[in-house]
Amino acid sequence: MNKFPEDIYTEAEASVDTLAHLGPLAPMAGIWTGKRGLDVSPKAEGPEKKAYIERYELQPIDAQANGPQLFYGLRYHTSLVKPDDVETFHDQVGYWLWEPATGTLIQTVAIPRGQTVMAMGQAAADATSFELAATRGATTNGICSNPFLEEAFTTIEFRIRVAINPDGGWSYDEDTVLMVRGQSEPFHHTDRSVLTKIGEATPNPLARERSTKELT
């Protein structure tokens, strides 16, 4: 039985106010900082632990339609530096997406070391915690790596757990499972951070346009 509508062309009606329709992603909109992040990564001599400071910006985009499928979302950019350092050791961009009709969450990940990920999960609109996952070889929530990473540090799974905290902040716990060349057991490359808001989100373009028209 086909779980999708027969009409795959007609677009769903969307609200111009993305910030009001983000479901569990709504508390994440804005500009954030994390001062006590921890990264555990593989090195030749063994796991290396690195503290990091993070700037994470999430801004609402206009609603996106695939025919009857409708997403509200946040475009994001996050960058990580070591304390007292200026070099960015991790830079990442992508989208957090929410599909109200199905309760589906998507995170797209693109990093400038030649790797992309699309992770998916499910949550209620008022959820204060949720988990998304991607698996190597999947065609709907998969992982794509450049030839060197695919051969030397094969990513077999990616998971991110998000928790919205009572104080208004949020935190994440990531686990990127790698098969490292020369090792027989999977390595869990982990990152975790607690984020505090330092700036509000800017309404999406359609919402800004409506607001401008109402003022004139």
Side-chain angles (χ1 to χ4, degrees):
M1 187 178 204
N2 195 338
K3 62 180 180 179
F4 300 112
E6 289 299 320
D7 179 0
I8 60 172
Y9 298 103
T10 303
E11 292 189 356
E13 280 195 34
S15 168
V16 299
D17 187 358
T18 294
L19 285 169
H21 294 82
L22 286 169
L25 300 178
M28 296 166 59
I31 305 171
W32 305 82
T33 187
K35 297 182 178 179
R36 299 186 303 277
L38 180 65
D39 171 88
V40 181
S41 59
K43 299 295 179 183
E45 59 275 16
E48 178 186 57
K49 294 183 178 181
K50 293 194 294 281
Y52 63 84
I53 297 170
E54 181 171 19
R55 186 183 190 278
Y56 204 134
E57 182 168 358
L58 300 105
Q59 297 289 358
I61 59 173
D62 290 335
Q64 302 293 307
N66 297 314
Q69 185 180 53
L70 184 65
F71 288 109
Y72 294 95
L74 297 165
R75 179 181 61 251
Y76 76 88
H77 175 213
T78 182
S79 57
L80 279 56
V81 298
K82 299 176 185 177
D84 304 319
D85 203 350
V86 296
E87 179 186 4
T88 302
F89 75 84
H90 182 82
D91 194 274
Q92 181 177 314
V93 297
Y95 294 93
W96 282 94
L97 303 172
W98 163 248
E99 186 182 13
T102 64
T104 298
L105 287 163
I106 294 176
Q107 184 194 20
T108 65
V109 175
I111 59 175
R113 287 179 282 114
Q115 191 169 53
T116 59
V117 175
M118 189 164 82
M120 298 178 66
Q122 298 288 133
D126 60 352
T128 56
S129 63
F130 46 85
E131 179 176 315
L132 288 72
T135 304
R136 179 174 178 269
T139 57
T140 55
N141 58 319
I143 299 161
C144 187
S145 306
N146 81 59
F148 172 76
L149 290 179
E150 176 65 14
E151 197 276 328
F153 298 92
T154 308
T155 302
I156 58 176
E157 186 179 60
F158 168 83
R159 288 186 177 272
I160 180 168
R161 300 172 183 86
V162 171
I164 308 302
N165 301 326
D167 63 1
W170 63 283
S171 58
Y172 66 82
D173 191 338
E174 289 182 0
D175 185 6
T176 304
V177 185
L178 307 172
M179 287 304 304
V180 180
R181 188 173 64 188
Q183 297 186 11
S184 59
E185 297 295 325
F187 183 92
H188 290 264
H189 180 174
T190 60
D191 293 275
R192 63 176 184 265
S193 184
V194 178
L195 296 152
T196 302
K197 183 175 279 189
I198 57 173
E200 297 297 331
T202 302
N204 54 295
L206 272 177
R208 294 200 301 271
E209 181 185 29
R210 183 183 67 177
S211 177
T212 301
K213 287 179 178 178
E214 289 174 351
L215 292 173
T216 56

